[in-house]
Amino acid sequence: MFSRTPLDDPRIAAGMNTQFKLRAERLAKGETPIGWKAGFGAPTPLAKLKLEAALTGFMTDGTSIASGSSISLAGWSKPALELEIAIYIGRDVPARADTETARAAIAAIGPAIEIVDLKPPLGDVEWILSGNIFHRYVILGDRDASRAGADVAGLSARVSRNGAEAATTWEVEALTGPLVAIVQRIADTVAGMGETLRAGEVIIAGSLAAPLFLNSDDREVSYTLDPIGSVSIRIEG
């Protein structure tokens, strides 16, 4: 467990307060919460931002789109695609949950794509959180209940860009850290904001590889979390 709760960091407390106001506005407009996201949890950003663990953002059905959907990047600052593992929560997770409690809450895992639009200053934790960690879209794929408890043994991730292989990794927790620890951290963070990590929600755990920056030449990106399944996104010109 970490030495302190996430909101003990005043940068996180301030950023989450602003972020939850944004969340409340979205929910008041009729969007439905679907879960949470981890961001900036790889070793390099953790060190640069002086963080103990990944930051937490929220997701609603307003940004969830189907695999194979087309999106326009017109007017975006610095669009990027991240390869993620989706963690499906099968039971509520309280604050300060121990490892076994958090592990038992993971009902399934599967592939996911997150699309973000990075805007400076990238070194300002409060700014990053206040804008919901640059989240724009999430694409969720098949879920594998046989991997309940966050069994990642034998998984590999590969991405193709415009039909050509762009990256492959067999170390799916190398940049994210253990999936169980992500569940614990997010449960702690949302509890500090008066929420609960609930059964039926999904967490995307952070990018398995360096973000894939998108440009006007991109037409389709496909990501496979083998052997579970694939998700894809099309980019409009």
Side-chain angles (χ1 to χ4, degrees):
M1 274 306 231
F2 299 105
S3 61
R4 55 181 185 163
T5 62
L7 299 183
D8 287 340
D9 184 328
R11 303 170 300 167
I12 294 178
M16 291 301 296
N17 281 329
T18 304
Q19 182 193 119
F20 263 56
K21 290 176 183 176
L22 174 62
R23 182 175 182 266
E25 290 172 3
R26 299 267 184 88
L27 300 187
K29 291 178 179 178
E31 295 182 25
T32 299
I34 62 170
W36 309 93
K37 61 163 283 183
F40 287 79
T44 296
L46 287 179
K48 286 184 176 179
L49 296 174
K50 297 181 172 61
L51 295 170
E52 281 193 327
L55 300 172
T56 297
F58 69 88
M59 299 191 299
T60 74
D61 62 352
T63 61
S64 178
I65 58 176
S67 180
S69 295
S70 296
I71 62 170
S72 171
L73 303 178
W76 291 39
S77 296
K78 194 172 185 179
L81 179 148
E82 297 186 345
L83 318 176
E84 311 244 357
I85 292 180
I87 305 169
Y88 295 90
I89 303 300
R91 62 182 72 170
D92 291 2
V93 185
R96 309 303 286 178
D98 61 27
T99 299
E100 290 313 308
T101 298
R103 187 181 302 280
I106 299 173
I109 61 175
I113 285 173
E114 185 184 21
I115 308 294
V116 297
D117 187 19
L118 301 177
K119 297 179 180 180
L122 298 181
D124 185 330
V125 171
E126 182 178 346
W127 163 257
I128 292 167
L129 284 169
S130 67
N132 199 26
I133 322 181
F134 311 114
H135 177 75
R136 293 297 177 269
Y137 294 107
V138 62
I139 302 98
L140 301 171
D142 293 335
R143 63 185 76 183
D144 186 347
S146 74
R147 293 180 177 273
D151 176 10
V152 299
L155 289 181
S156 63
R158 66 180 185 275
V159 59
S160 66
R161 182 178 197 170
N162 302 326
E165 187 171 287
T168 303
T169 181
W170 287 268
E171 298 180 283
V172 296
E173 291 179 310
L175 293 185
T176 64
L179 301 186
V180 172
I182 292 168
V183 171
Q184 291 173 290
R185 185 68 169 185
I186 287 179
D188 287 350
T189 302
V190 302
M193 298 301 299
E195 276 286 358
T196 300
L197 177 55
R198 301 184 186 281
E201 293 186 324
V202 61
I203 293 169
I204 54 172
S207 192
L208 308 182
L212 186 67
F213 291 102
L214 302 172
N215 58 57
S216 58
D217 295 328
D218 288 315
R219 291 295 174 263
E220 183 176 20
V221 179
S222 177
Y223 157 48
T224 300
L225 185 63
D226 195 41
I228 299 177
S230 301
V231 284
S232 66
I233 189 74
R234 297 180 182 275
I235 312 299
E236 296 178 0

